[in-house]
Amino acid sequence: EIKQEQEIQALQEEYTSESGDTASMQDESELVKKTDDDLKTESEDDPNAWYHDIDVDFAGLKEQNEDIVGWIYFEDEESISYPLLYSGDDYYLRRNYLKEEETAGSIYIDGNNSPDLDDAHTLIYGHNMRNLSMFGNLKFYKTEEDYFENHRYFQLITETGAYRYEIFAYKDVGTLTGGIYTTWKYVDDDFKKFIEDSICQGSYVDADIDVDDETHIVTLSTCSYDSDVRFTVSAVRIDEHKWNQ
């Protein structure tokens, strides 16, 4: 666990930077000529906006592993800041971002989902590690008072844009198939019922959201107190920002 956490920390330092540090990640050979439209867009952009909290060097990450499709970043819990993997199966359950066997595995998207985060319901998995790495901190939603109020937002960053989510439900579940572990491609009447029955019902916090055709839900899943129980944290997309390509 310690070795992998050191590797992840090195990855964070090399391929991500805090707001305002973007220039340090580029050398002159990587800069492109900006058009008048680009400059106008940049001048209208708020440098303090949420999507500038962290900058990710996807070109460098892709050289390490093409299966890195994004980055997960908790705004008020910086210990959750990891590459997001996708292989179409559970390949990264016990493998790190370099495809090496590792007990802690990686943070990865369900194989039935699309890696571009366009699905109505996306599942993301990570282990509940004793040293609080990976999704180890998620347990605090149910064990620490006020943790939910102080840690409500996280971001999923991809090559094409950044997506901001607000957590609205969390609970223990006793099933690993069906129920909350159902992926959805688009919103329909059944999806709305699914949110009520499989996500909101049984939540440790009062859960209620408005659902429309553009609703995108992400559920984070990790181990819990029993081998047959999983702890889930569900969030709804509240904002997005597309990068200038």
Side-chain angles (χ1 to χ4, degrees), residues 129-160:
M129 303 303 294
R130 288 175 295 180
N131 65 357
L132 302 183
S133 63
M134 298 301 161
F135 280 169
N137 279 296
L138 294 186
K139 67 172 70 72
F140 295 141
Y141 282 102
K142 60 178 178 177
T143 63
E144 291 193 5
E145 187 177 0
D146 298 331
Y147 192 84
F148 170 60
E149 292 300 328
N150 296 325
H151 302 82
R152 299 192 69 157
Y153 303 97
F154 67 84
Q155 301 173 24
L156 298 179
I157 302 111
T158 71
E159 288 183 282
T160 59

Side-chain angles (χ1 to χ4, degrees), residues 1 4-9 11-12 72 74 77-83 85 92-97 102-108 125-139 220-222:
E1 294 180 13
Q4 183 174 20
E5 192 61 19
Q6 292 173 338
E7 292 173 347
I8 289 293
Q9 185 176 355
L11 188 76
Q12 293 167 347
I72 183 170
F74 269 62
E77 185 58 82
E78 294 185 2
S79 61
I80 302 181
S81 180
Y82 293 103
L85 283 293
Y92 289 101
L93 179 66
R94 295 295 182 186
R95 289 182 175 86
N96 64 20
Y97 70 96
E102 193 80 51
T103 301
S106 297
I107 308 297
Y108 67 96
Y125 304 97
H127 286 296
N128 174 15
M129 303 303 294
R130 288 175 295 180
N131 65 357
L132 302 183
S133 63
M134 298 301 161
F135 280 169
N137 279 296
L138 294 186
K139 67 172 70 72
L220 312 178
S221 174
T222 192

Side-chain angles (χ1 to χ4, degrees), residues 69-199:
V69 297
W71 195 276
I72 183 170
Y73 171 77
F74 269 62
E75 295 179 7
D76 298 303
E77 185 58 82
E78 294 185 2
S79 61
I80 302 181
S81 180
Y82 293 103
L84 191 59
L85 283 293
Y86 181 81
S87 63
D89 53 24
D90 291 329
Y91 180 82
Y92 289 101
L93 179 66
R94 295 295 182 186
R95 289 182 175 86
N96 64 20
Y97 70 96
L98 292 176
K99 300 184 178 182
E100 301 166 337
E101 291 190 4
E102 193 80 51
T103 301
S106 297
I107 308 297
Y108 67 96
I109 299 174
D110 190 287
N112 292 316
N113 278 124
S114 170
D116 59 14
L117 305 176
D118 279 346
D119 292 341
H121 184 226
T122 297
L123 288 159
I124 297 178
Y125 304 97
H127 286 296
N128 174 15
M129 303 303 294
R130 288 175 295 180
N131 65 357
L132 302 183
S133 63
M134 298 301 161
F135 280 169
N137 279 296
L138 294 186
K139 67 172 70 72
F140 295 141
Y141 282 102
K142 60 178 178 177
T143 63
E144 291 193 5
E145 187 177 0
D146 298 331
Y147 192 84
F148 170 60
E149 292 300 328
N150 296 325
H151 302 82
R152 299 192 69 157
Y153 303 97
F154 67 84
Q155 301 173 24
L156 298 179
I157 302 111
T158 71
E159 288 183 282
T160 59
Y163 307 91
R164 193 177 191 223
Y165 295 82
E166 181 177 4
I167 294 167
F168 67 92
Y170 50 90
K171 65 180 185 176
D172 286 302
V173 295
T175 177
L176 303 183
T177 58
I180 200 170
Y181 289 99
T182 304
T183 58
W184 290 78
K185 295 298 182 184
Y186 53 85
V187 175
D188 56 17
D189 290 338
D190 289 336
F191 179 67
K192 297 175 182 178
K193 188 174 188 305
F194 160 76
I195 293 177
E196 295 176 3
D197 296 344
S198 298
I199 295 181

